[in-house]
Amino acid sequence: MDSHRARDTAPVPAAAIRVRDMTDADCEAVARIRVLGWQTAYEGLMPAAHLDAMNVEEETARRRELLARRGPSVGNLVAGRAGEVVGWACHGPLRDDDVPPGDAELYAIYVLPDVLSTGVGRALLEVVLERCAASGHGRIRLWVVEGNARARRFYERAGFSPDGAEDTYEVDGVLVPEVRYLRPLEMP
């Protein structure tokens, strides 16, 4: 391992990570984070052809469209380190119909592969949890790909646990199993 790579994976002081609301100017960086995040996290869990076909330019257009039409209850956050956007999270009201209304949902959280395990994801998650609690949500849920052991460990260390719900979704003809996680939120 070269010294540059070692620096990238060393824990970063929380003060060095700045979490803020996403703007239109962040869409390309978020698209890159999402594409690289999927290609890293879901390698071997989703069809390789689908992951290989992911495109930052197309994803940038999609991020711009989604950001422009999001409702006021949907939050998009970016994490910056040394002036570069290196992480993204999106949250809002729970979209599942099988639980009483009122819970929040973490829709997505991704960081660039070279900043995994440096505190960027934790910093994003902390802000998501604070904002969801401040909005009056008592709990937050999320869906995680069942075979994504790294993500499951991350969520479990952050106080999430499986709530018993499981589902699948189709990616290029392959069913991908997911598990839903739950965490109570501390009210401000």
Side-chain angles (χ1 to χ4, degrees):
M1 175 187 293
D2 65 30
S3 62
H4 175 72
R5 179 80 175 139
R7 274 194 313 269
D8 284 346
T9 59
V12 176
I17 302 167
R18 181 173 174 250
V19 177
R20 61 173 174 77
D21 289 312
M22 180 180 165
T23 68
D24 188 70
D26 299 315
C27 287
E28 185 174 356
V30 168
R32 182 173 172 262
I33 291 163
R34 188 171 181 279
V35 167
L36 292 173
W38 270 59
Q39 290 172 338
T40 300
Y42 304 133
E43 183 179 13
L45 301 174
M46 293 186 187
H50 177 81
L51 297 174
D52 292 343
M54 292 182 78
N55 174 301
V56 173
E57 185 176 297
E58 290 173 9
E59 184 63 25
T60 299
R62 183 169 181 249
R63 289 295 117 208
R64 281 202 171 95
E65 178 186 328
L66 289 170
L67 187 65
R69 66 181 168 101
R70 78 182 190 286
S73 60
V74 174
N76 280 276
L77 303 168
V78 293
R81 187 176 90 170
E84 177 188 7
V85 173
V86 295
W88 165 69
C90 185
H91 65 90
L94 182 67
R95 299 171 290 182
D96 297 340
D97 294 332
D98 67 324
V99 294
D103 288 358
E105 182 176 350
L106 175 62
Y107 303 140
I109 187 168
Y110 293 97
V111 301
L112 288 175
D114 66 346
V115 300
L116 284 167
S117 299
T118 65
V120 174
R122 278 189 313 276
L124 279 165
L125 185 57
E126 286 173 14
V127 175
V128 167
L129 297 175
E130 290 168 7
R131 288 189 177 189
C132 290
S135 295
H137 297 285
R139 298 180 299 191
I140 185 169
R141 297 177 193 255
L142 61 87
W143 287 94
V144 62
V145 171
E146 183 179 65
N148 189 344
R150 180 183 201 119
R152 292 182 75 170
R153 281 190 309 272
F154 172 79
Y155 294 126
E156 289 167 6
R157 281 189 223 125
F160 286 85
S161 58
D163 73 357
E166 296 181 4
D167 204 356
T168 59
Y169 68 98
E170 185 180 333
V171 177
D172 291 349
V174 174
L175 292 179
V176 177
E178 291 186 300
V179 178
R180 190 171 63 196
Y181 275 65
L182 166 71
R183 177 190 160 152
L185 293 171
E186 297 175 19
M187 302 305 261

